[in-house]
PDB file of all heavy atoms in Angstrom:
ATOM      1  N   ILE D 414     217.912 115.229 220.433  1.00  0.00           N
ATOM      2  CA  ILE D 414     218.535 115.051 219.115  1.00  0.00           C
ATOM      3  C   ILE D 414     219.946 115.628 219.142  1.00  0.00           C
ATOM      4  O   ILE D 414     220.139 116.775 219.564  1.00  0.00           O
ATOM      5  CB  ILE D 414     217.713 115.773 218.023  1.00  0.00           C
ATOM      6  CG1 ILE D 414     216.398 115.055 217.765  1.00  0.00           C
ATOM      7  CG2 ILE D 414     218.495 115.899 216.733  1.00  0.00           C
ATOM      8  CD1 ILE D 414     216.493 113.808 216.923  1.00  0.00           C
ATOM      9  N   PRO D 415     220.952 114.878 218.709  1.00  0.00           N
ATOM     10  CA  PRO D 415     222.322 115.412 218.690  1.00  0.00           C
ATOM     11  C   PRO D 415     222.432 116.682 217.852  1.00  0.00           C
ATOM     12  O   PRO D 415     221.763 116.823 216.818  1.00  0.00           O
ATOM     13  CB  PRO D 415     223.138 114.276 218.080  1.00  0.00           C
ATOM     14  CG  PRO D 415     222.358 113.044 218.384  1.00  0.00           C
ATOM     15  CD  PRO D 415     220.916 113.463 218.309  1.00  0.00           C
ATOM     16  N   SER D 416     223.281 117.575 218.298  1.00  0.00           N
ATOM     17  CA  SER D 416     223.475 118.846 217.608  1.00  0.00           C
ATOM     18  C   SER D 416     223.993 118.662 216.188  1.00  0.00           C
ATOM     19  O   SER D 416     223.847 119.548 215.350  1.00  0.00           O
ATOM     20  CB  SER D 416     224.443 119.720 218.412  1.00  0.00           C
ATOM     21  OG  SER D 416     224.555 120.995 217.852  1.00  0.00           O
ATOM     22  N   PHE D 417     224.579 117.501 215.903  1.00  0.00           N
ATOM     23  CA  PHE D 417     225.070 117.223 214.547  1.00  0.00           C
ATOM     24  C   PHE D 417     223.952 117.361 213.516  1.00  0.00           C
ATOM     25  O   PHE D 417     224.194 117.717 212.366  1.00  0.00           O
ATOM     26  CB  PHE D 417     225.659 115.808 214.491  1.00  0.00           C
ATOM     27  CG  PHE D 417     226.215 115.432 213.151  1.00  0.00           C
ATOM     28  CD1 PHE D 417     227.499 115.825 212.777  1.00  0.00           C
ATOM     29  CD2 PHE D 417     225.469 114.687 212.247  1.00  0.00           C
ATOM     30  CE1 PHE D 417     228.022 115.493 211.539  1.00  0.00           C
ATOM     31  CE2 PHE D 417     225.982 114.350 211.004  1.00  0.00           C
ATOM     32  CZ  PHE D 417     227.260 114.744 210.651  1.00  0.00           C
ATOM     33  N   TYR D 418     222.715 117.113 213.955  1.00  0.00           N
ATOM     34  CA  TYR D 418     221.584 117.132 213.019  1.00  0.00           C
ATOM     35  C   TYR D 418     221.167 118.544 212.623  1.00  0.00           C
ATOM     36  O   TYR D 418     220.139 118.713 211.961  1.00  0.00           O
ATOM     37  CB  TYR D 418     220.399 116.370 213.617  1.00  0.00           C
ATOM     38  CG  TYR D 418     220.574 114.876 213.533  1.00  0.00           C
ATOM     39  CD1 TYR D 418     221.280 114.185 214.524  1.00  0.00           C
ATOM     40  CD2 TYR D 418     220.070 114.142 212.473  1.00  0.00           C
ATOM     41  CE1 TYR D 418     221.463 112.817 214.452  1.00  0.00           C
ATOM     42  CE2 TYR D 418     220.245 112.776 212.385  1.00  0.00           C
ATOM     43  CZ  TYR D 418     220.947 112.116 213.378  1.00  0.00           C
ATOM     44  OH  TYR D 418     221.129 110.761 213.302  1.00  0.00           O
ATOM     45  N   ARG D 419     221.985 119.511 212.951  1.00  0.00           N
ATOM     46  CA  ARG D 419     221.722 120.880 212.489  1.00  0.00           C
ATOM     47  C   ARG D 419     221.728 120.977 210.974  1.00  0.00           C
ATOM     48  O   ARG D 419     221.312 121.997 210.405  1.00  0.00           O
ATOM     49  CB  ARG D 419     222.746 121.839 213.093  1.00  0.00           C
ATOM     50  CG  ARG D 419     224.171 121.620 212.612  1.00  0.00           C
ATOM     51  CD  ARG D 419     225.168 122.499 213.326  1.00  0.00           C
ATOM     52  NE  ARG D 419     225.348 122.101 214.714  1.00  0.00           N
ATOM     53  CZ  ARG D 419     226.068 122.794 215.602  1.00  0.00           C
ATOM     54  NH1 ARG D 419     226.658 123.915 215.232  1.00  0.00           N
ATOM     55  NH2 ARG D 419     226.185 122.377 216.840  1.00  0.00           N
ATOM     56  N   PHE D 420     222.217 119.933 210.289  1.00  0.00           N
ATOM     57  CA  PHE D 420     222.204 119.965 208.824  1.00  0.00           C
ATOM     58  C   PHE D 420     220.784 120.117 208.282  1.00  0.00           C
ATOM     59  O   PHE D 420     220.587 120.564 207.150  1.00  0.00           O
ATOM     60  CB  PHE D 420     222.879 118.729 208.231  1.00  0.00           C
ATOM     61  CG  PHE D 420     222.218 117.411 208.530  1.00  0.00           C
ATOM     62  CD1 PHE D 420     221.102 117.007 207.821  1.00  0.00           C
ATOM     63  CD2 PHE D 420     222.737 116.562 209.491  1.00  0.00           C
ATOM     64  CE1 PHE D 420     220.495 115.785 208.078  1.00  0.00           C
ATOM     65  CE2 PHE D 420     222.144 115.341 209.758  1.00  0.00           C
ATOM     66  CZ  PHE D 420     221.013 114.955 209.053  1.00  0.00           C
ATOM     67  N   MET D 421     219.780 119.772 209.092  1.00  0.00           N
ATOM     68  CA  MET D 421     218.392 119.997 208.677  1.00  0.00           C
ATOM     69  C   MET D 421     218.125 121.491 208.500  1.00  0.00           C
ATOM     70  O   MET D 421     217.362 121.903 207.620  1.00  0.00           O
ATOM     71  CB  MET D 421     217.441 119.413 209.714  1.00  0.00           C
ATOM     72  CG  MET D 421     217.527 117.911 209.881  1.00  0.00           C
ATOM     73  SD  MET D 421     216.841 117.013 208.489  1.00  0.00           S
ATOM     74  CE  MET D 421     215.095 117.366 208.683  1.00  0.00           C
ATOM     75  N   ASN D 422     218.747 122.312 209.336  1.00  0.00           N
ATOM     76  CA  ASN D 422     218.569 123.762 209.231  1.00  0.00           C
ATOM     77  C   ASN D 422     219.239 124.322 207.992  1.00  0.00           C
ATOM     78  O   ASN D 422     218.755 125.293 207.391  1.00  0.00           O
ATOM     79  CB  ASN D 422     219.122 124.449 210.479  1.00  0.00           C
ATOM     80  CG  ASN D 422     218.440 124.000 211.746  1.00  0.00           C
ATOM     81  OD1 ASN D 422     218.957 123.148 212.467  1.00  0.00           O
ATOM     82  ND2 ASN D 422     217.267 124.543 212.029  1.00  0.00           N
ATOM     83  N   TYR D 423     220.375 123.719 207.610  1.00  0.00           N
ATOM     84  CA  TYR D 423     221.043 124.152 206.372  1.00  0.00           C
ATOM     85  C   TYR D 423     220.133 123.896 205.170  1.00  0.00           C
ATOM     86  O   TYR D 423     219.957 124.769 204.310  1.00  0.00           O
ATOM     87  CB  TYR D 423     222.370 123.420 206.201  1.00  0.00           C
ATOM     88  CG  TYR D 423     222.999 123.626 204.843  1.00  0.00           C
ATOM     89  CD1 TYR D 423     223.625 124.839 204.529  1.00  0.00           C
ATOM     90  CD2 TYR D 423     222.959 122.628 203.876  1.00  0.00           C
ATOM     91  CE1 TYR D 423     224.186 125.048 203.278  1.00  0.00           C
ATOM     92  CE2 TYR D 423     223.522 122.828 202.626  1.00  0.00           C
ATOM     93  CZ  TYR D 423     224.137 124.028 202.326  1.00  0.00           C
ATOM     94  OH  TYR D 423     224.690 124.241 201.085  1.00  0.00           O
ATOM     95  N   ALA D 424     219.545 122.695 205.125  1.00  0.00           N
ATOM     96  CA  ALA D 424     218.638 122.377 204.018  1.00  0.00           C
ATOM     97  C   ALA D 424     217.451 123.333 204.013  1.00  0.00           C
ATOM     98  O   ALA D 424     216.991 123.773 202.953  1.00  0.00           O
ATOM     99  CB  ALA D 424     218.161 120.933 204.150  1.00  0.00           C
ATOM    100  N   ASP D 425     216.987 123.677 205.194  1.00  0.00           N
ATOM    101  CA  ASP D 425     215.830 124.550 205.353  1.00  0.00           C
ATOM    102  C   ASP D 425     216.130 125.987 204.908  1.00  0.00           C
ATOM    103  O   ASP D 425     215.438 126.552 204.053  1.00  0.00           O
ATOM    104  CB  ASP D 425     215.408 124.497 206.825  1.00  0.00           C
ATOM    105  CG  ASP D 425     214.342 125.502 207.191  1.00  0.00           C
ATOM    106  OD1 ASP D 425     213.610 125.926 206.293  1.00  0.00           O
ATOM    107  OD2 ASP D 425     214.254 125.859 208.375  1.00  0.00           O
TER     108      ASP D 425
END
Side-chain angles (χ1 to χ4, degrees):
I414 289 282
S416 186
F417 181 82
Y418 283 85
R419 66 185 70 187
F420 63 79
M421 296 288 290
N422 300 99
Y423 170 75
D425 172 24

